[in-house]
Amino acid sequence: MKNCSYLFVPGKSKKMMEKAIISIAENIIIDLEDSVALSAKVDVRKEVEIFLKNHNILKNIYIRINDVSTSYWKEDIDLVIETDVQGIVLPKAESQHKLKEICHYIENGLHQSGRMRPDFEVIPLIESAKGIHFAYEIGCSHPYIKRMAFGSIDYSLDIGVSLSRVGTELLYAKSQIVNASRAAGIEGPIDAIFPELNDERALMNDAKAGKQLGFKAKLAIHPKQLETIHQIFKPSEKDVLEAKEIVASFEAAELRGLASIQVNERLVDYPVYKMAKSLLE
């Protein structure tokens, strides 16, 4: 199972980046897009490059590059190639054509630099009606795309609704991303940020709802959100022990020609066995 927390941090703040790399976040997304003014794009990109080269970071680092409709995205990717980070987050992902163009640009850049990396990741951020509509095609665009993420705030603006606590207005879009990810054969997607920093119970409810729909991770905007995200998305010790018992019991039964057994008064067949084995993996 992939790591379950992705912490956004503005590239303009060295102090916040330093706090992020010592936080419990499993992945860090350094933002060069929304949190950086147009007049500061070039300077902030250079500051991020210096920061990455001067710190020995043991976490997965991603760069949220600027939208491909701007003049900044190629230089952002050049920074990514030069600093050898894990990958990029692509905002406003809407078409397979654009994803292929970006992935091929990265592929060529890595090849020319002698850094061929099949593990490189491009995370499309789906945050518009068009992106939701073409989510399956986006997920199939290139081997660099190993999972997608959802951007609820821009999506709600695009379809003209206000975000609510219950999230009914996002149900269709979230389900589409989960289903498209599965159909494309990639990892379960990353759920959207929760914008309120001082309501842990609401964050927990939001994370639980996302997990129930099939999301396997969540974006965060502050380190204080990470513990709750981990609590919801990481399997508990009890879950792991139960999964181990199911897998061991079923595999032993299968050797005896059985494909349906009871484990702790629970019916276990192939789908339940596969789910338990997937959790352990």
Side-chain angles (χ1 to χ4, degrees), residues 13 21 53 85 88 102 104 108 114 124 130 147 160 180 185 197 199 223 229 232 235 277-278 280:
S13 173
I21 63 176
K53 289 182 175 180
V85 299
I88 68 167
I102 289 161
H104 290 154
N108 290 335
K130 187 175 180 180
R147 73 190 325 180
L197 294 179
D199 195 334
I229 290 172
I232 300 303
K277 194 162 186 176
S278 175
L280 295 178

Side-chain angles (χ1 to χ4, degrees), residues 11 13 16-17 28 49 51 59 80 96 113 144 156 170 172 174 182 220 229 235 244 273:
S13 173
M16 293 180 74
M17 288 191 288
I28 297 170
E49 179 181 1
F51 178 86
K59 300 177 185 291
V80 168
Q96 187 180 66
S113 68
Y144 285 163
S156 66
L170 302 177
Y172 172 78
K174 287 189 170 189
R182 179 59 184 159
I229 290 172
K244 285 181 177 179
Y273 162 72

Side-chain angles (χ1 to χ4, degrees), residues 11 30-32 41-53 62-66 72-85 87-88 105 110 115 120:
I30 298 177
D31 183 36
L32 298 180
K41 295 285 188 185
V42 175
D43 290 340
V44 168
R45 186 194 300 122
K46 185 62 180 178
E47 290 167 8
V48 169
E49 179 181 1
I50 293 169
F51 178 86
L52 292 173
K53 289 182 175 180
Y62 300 82
I63 304 292
R64 178 161 74 168
I65 67 170
N66 285 280
Y72 304 107
W73 70 272
K74 287 187 177 180
E75 287 78 7
D76 293 345
I77 289 176
D78 292 342
L79 161 68
V80 168
I81 293 170
E82 178 67 23
T83 52
D84 214 25
V85 299
I88 68 167
Y105 184 86
L110 289 171
R115 295 184 175 97
F120 190 90

